[in-house]
Amino acid sequence: MSSRCNICGKETLKPWKKKGFLYCSECNFVTTDLDISDEELQRLYTATYFQGEEYSNYVEDKKLIQRNFVGNLERIKNRLPSRAPLNLFEIGCAYGFFLELAKDVFDHVSGIDISHDAIKFAREKMGLDVTAGDYLNMPPKQADVFCMWDTIEHLKHPEMYIKKISAEITDGGLIALTTGDIGSLTARIQGANWRQIHLPTHLHYFSRQALEKLLKKNDFEVVDVFYPGLYRSLDMVAYILLVVHHNQKWIYNFLTRIGILRLSIYANTLDLIFILGRKRTISHLKNG
Ligand SMILES: [Zn+2]
């Protein structure tokens, strides 16, 4: 693996706190040297990923997941270009829960996801215009808003996605994304034990600085940044803590049986970042 940083393009990567992880101090960016094929990646995101592996039950948590999307959609609405019609395209749309909300705001919404199982659900059960596959292999897709929720950290080449979006987005269009912030206080205190550090699904770890750099490099002006809190079902929290991290499925099963995991809680750990960029128009670019 080369020592070239995906963000600044310089030969700056040095070993980080954990084996297999590399760090660029110029960008405050952590990446991994995992050599994973497209086929292997594809196999990670089957139905079991959303039901039992990374999530306990994504479909059952639909209401909660949508509640978490409302704030992101509001932020986008505040910055929309004043023209019509407006199209939104989501990369990593999973079961289509965000697209279902966005339908009320946009004239057309569509999306793509690498998970065939998720796309089948989004198309058949949600009636959405969605495709299974990799956005990088897709013919040019014009849209006014591109979004990626907790997706960029999963991509093998995140910088190529931002570049392709920049080439295809309409003038003054918006890019909106969320991911963990490795520069946050929580992440810095927890270091290699931060809950977002998670192979083989999370391949890159961005800071606010790294995201801003990546967007600016691709002709986006950063117009909004915030740190959203999340509603989580206790079920989801217990599942990640007890089953994924500590392999204590029997405690989890016990808590499920007594019914306590049906409750939900709101928490803000201030380590998830939402960033919104606006594509600079040709006149802006000429003026630097
Ligand atoms: Zn760098």
Side-chain angles (χ1 to χ4, degrees), residues 32-174:
T32 51
D33 61 4
L34 191 72
D35 188 17
I36 187 164
S37 71
D38 290 344
E39 291 71 34
E40 284 168 305
L41 266 187
Q42 169 95 53
R43 278 200 296 273
L44 284 176
Y45 301 105
T46 57
T48 53
Y49 172 83
F50 294 100
Q51 201 160 13
E53 280 171 14
E54 190 132 332
Y55 293 94
S56 70
N57 195 330
Y58 193 85
V59 175
E60 264 181 22
D61 282 330
K62 178 182 171 190
K63 274 213 178 98
L64 216 55
I65 291 166
Q66 288 192 322
R67 205 161 154 197
N68 289 326
F69 280 140
V70 169
N72 299 356
L73 187 57
E74 285 302 314
R75 296 264 166 171
I76 293 173
K77 269 164 74 179
N78 290 339
R79 304 279 177 168
L80 281 179
S82 51
R83 60 171 178 248
L86 283 173
N87 296 328
L88 174 138
F89 187 72
E90 183 182 5
I91 299 167
C93 65
Y95 285 68
F97 297 163
F98 176 75
L99 290 178
E100 189 185 45
L101 293 180
K103 254 187 349 195
D104 296 336
V105 176
F106 290 85
D107 299 286
H108 187 72
V109 302
S110 53
I112 192 166
D113 200 286
I114 193 173
S115 168
H116 286 261
D117 294 311
I119 287 298
K120 189 169 185 294
F121 184 96
R123 193 185 294 132
E124 291 173 8
K125 299 272 197 302
M126 312 275 287
L128 293 163
D129 174 12
V130 290
T131 317
D134 186 342
Y135 169 65
L136 283 186
N137 302 328
M138 214 186 154
K141 174 82 206 170
Q142 247 211 353
D144 306 287
V145 176
F146 280 85
C147 55
M148 294 196 273
W149 309 129
D150 300 332
T151 296
I152 194 166
E153 66 273 21
H154 295 259
L155 306 172
K156 242 165 89 174
H157 296 288
E159 72 288 356
M160 287 163 72
Y161 287 73
I162 306 297
K163 195 174 171 190
K164 181 165 155 71
I165 293 170
S166 176
E168 294 168 5
I169 197 169
T170 54
D171 257 7
L174 301 173

Side-chain angles (χ1 to χ4, degrees), residues 5 7-9 12 24 26-27 213:
C5 168
I7 310 288
C8 62
T12 44
C24 172
E26 291 200 20
C27 301
K213 217 177 203 181

Side-chain angles (χ1 to χ4, degrees), residues 240-268:
I240 292 170
L241 221 64
L242 296 170
V243 183
V244 179
H245 287 296
H246 295 286
N247 204 18
Q248 298 287 342
K249 192 147 198 231
W250 68 274
I251 305 181
Y252 171 79
N253 288 342
F254 170 73
L255 295 175
T256 306
R257 265 203 313 279
I258 63 174
I260 195 166
L261 300 185
R262 282 196 294 270
L263 304 169
S264 70
I265 48 164
Y266 177 85
N268 195 338

